[in-house]
Amino acid sequence: MSAFVSEIIGTMLLILLGNGVVAGVVLRHSKAENAGWVVITFGWGFAVMIGVYAAGIYGGAHLNPAVTVGLATAGSFPWADVPGYILAQFIGAFIGAVLVFLHYKPHYDATDDPGGKLATFSTAPAIRNTPFNLISEIIGTFVLVFGILSFGANTFTDGLNPLIVAFLVVSIGMSLGGPTGYAINPARDLGPRIAHAVLPIKNKGTSDWGYSWIPVVGPIIGAIIAALVYGILVP
């Protein structure tokens, strides 16, 4: 299996399990309804772990354009491979979102809140303030990419790296996720947002395209800053 295909599969699993836990908590009549933020943050952390383990055998298991760009900026990944990885991540994210919809279809039909339905696909700010929403995504992604680069400099057993990254994502979600829902991943947000726009979801409302650039631009900026800072501190 090629790195391209493994990146699709890993990102698909990431979104299926990550947006799946949001759907379970948010949608009506799910057995996990109202389980809360802690369940969502741990669900996303485990989703990252499963996706990385699944993709890591055959590829870099980035699952995130911001991580790909950050590693390339740090000199740890060839720029020539960046477009292919990002394309695979967006494909995987779209497929994962479609699978979440199919899995929870009766619950989408039973849920009246369009905002809740959108939340199972993409992020939205708790308080809509463009500059600070952007800053939140930059900071969250900085922590993610700086942490990943730092883990690579330590002597962890390779098999533990996905687990450690999972706990990093849980920490980001609990500590920094409240303002914007911590997309920290352009593919994680935009791929499912496109799926929301095209899927036949009952009473789905808008896909909030006015906000959609923030979870794309913010993570890329945060990743580049993290790579540059890391390069200064660890030459």
Side-chain angles (χ1 to χ4, degrees), residues 47-220:
V48 170
M49 180 182 69
I50 298 302
V52 171
Y53 272 125
I57 299 173
Y58 298 100
H62 299 171
L63 317 185
N64 181 342
V67 171
T68 300
V69 170
L71 292 176
T73 302
S76 301
F77 187 74
W79 279 104
D81 292 342
V82 168
Y85 265 60
I86 291 178
L87 176 60
Q89 290 153 6
F90 274 99
I91 293 172
F94 181 88
I95 295 171
V98 171
L99 292 175
V100 171
F101 170 69
L102 294 174
H103 188 80
Y104 281 98
K105 175 63 167 61
H107 301 276
Y108 281 103
D109 293 343
T111 301
D112 297 325
D113 178 19
K117 293 178 182 180
L118 179 59
T120 69
F121 288 87
S122 56
T123 62
I127 298 175
R128 195 169 293 260
N129 184 311
T130 297
F132 285 98
N133 298 154
L134 183 64
I135 289 169
S136 292
E137 285 296 325
I138 291 172
I139 292 172
T141 313
F142 175 93
V143 174
L144 174 68
V145 173
F146 192 87
I148 289 172
L149 290 169
S150 300
F151 298 157
N154 282 273
T155 55
F156 289 115
T157 302
D158 287 343
L160 289 179
N161 282 338
L163 177 62
I164 302 302
V165 173
F167 280 108
L168 171 62
V169 172
V170 171
S171 179
I172 292 170
M174 287 188 171
S175 300
L176 304 174
T180 62
Y182 70 116
I184 60 174
N185 181 339
R188 169 265 177 274
D189 193 274
L190 185 56
R193 196 181 297 268
I194 293 170
H196 177 270
V198 301
L199 285 170
I201 306 166
K202 181 180 178 182
N203 299 323
K204 64 181 176 181
T206 176
S207 299
D208 196 8
W209 291 109
Y211 180 77
S212 63
W213 67 273
I214 291 177
V216 174
V217 174
I220 295 297

